[in-house]
Amino acid sequence: MKYTTLPNTDIRVSRICLGTMTWGRQNTESEGQAQMDYAFNQGVNFFDTAELYPVPAHKDRYAETEKIIGNWFRKSGRRQDIVLASKIAGPAPFTEFIRTEGFKPSAILEAVEGSLRRLRTDYMDLYQLHWPERSTNYFGQRGFSPDPNEAWKDNIREVLQTLQTLVQEGKIRQVGLSNETPWGVMRFLEEARAHPGLPRMITIQNPYSLLNRLFEVGLSEISHRSQIGLLAYSPLGFGTLSGKYLGGQKPEKARVTLFPNYNRYSNSKAIEATEAYAEIAAMHGLSLAQMALAFVNSRPFLTSNIIGATTIDQLKENIGSADIELSPEVLSKIEEVHRTIPNPAP
């Protein structure tokens, strides 16, 4: 396993991060615990979760994933060996059963206390805002369209002040963003710079894969110049980049089979690009999944690649991508496809 550190900290994390959002819905608790055991034994020391998980979100399964992780900590005694990240859910129709306060101080405090209780820990190493409160482009929206009826008022300083309190209390160590735009990242950095003592965002958890490289437009320069590390999620595009859906296949128990509305990476152009990438992988003796993950692992702005799996075999293949170095020829072929079909699945 390769390791790096969370930007501007001495917190050492594996280049592969274990994603957990299927545990409690697509995976049972015992399967989730088996994944944690295997990943840990392979050198993965970074786990990412959220109060929203498992997905799709439902009030009857609220925060089951955090409970599964907490039970593993209690059983294994490995809390001190793991860098643990979680997130507060943002406002949306599908999170109204959680709360409707957005990121008001009371909401953040409630969310953190709930996560700590379920995770059976007294601190989280990284705490993230799952998506912005304001109306902007995320979750598959390519461009920004202003909402003339938006009620959001800029409360970013207040959010950071609340997080500052939690850092001072030792309940969270570092803070990060998720599903954020260049404007949002710079706005948070601006407040932290203008008011010494406020916590500085150190990571951004955004989608990044062969089918969605929009992070490279704007955010990659911010990452480089302001030292904000990418935690790449959906590096396989809901499993699309494993190739298992090619040819119209619908594998039993696969995410897109179970939840057809999860079609973000399944449009005609994304399928065309996936077919082209599959040809490159086959030509060079690679599995499509490992080539796709190795590409993400190779990016200079990456801090950690969040992989997810529903079976141990998938997990083995995904973690194994950490040992793969793509040749210049493979990278050149990937760029040819990208130039022809750029970012088909925002």
Side-chain angles (χ1 to χ4, degrees), residues 249-294:
Q249 297 181 85
K250 295 184 178 180
E252 185 180 3
K253 296 183 179 180
R255 186 179 310 163
V256 178
T257 304
L258 293 172
F259 314 114
N261 59 312
Y262 278 35
N263 56 7
R264 182 173 175 179
Y265 300 93
S266 303
N267 64 71
S268 60
K269 281 297 182 182
I271 293 170
E272 182 183 348
T274 300
E275 290 171 343
Y277 290 127
E279 290 180 9
I280 296 170
M283 190 184 310
H284 292 86
L286 298 165
S287 78
L288 176 56
Q290 288 200 325
M291 185 186 82
L293 292 171

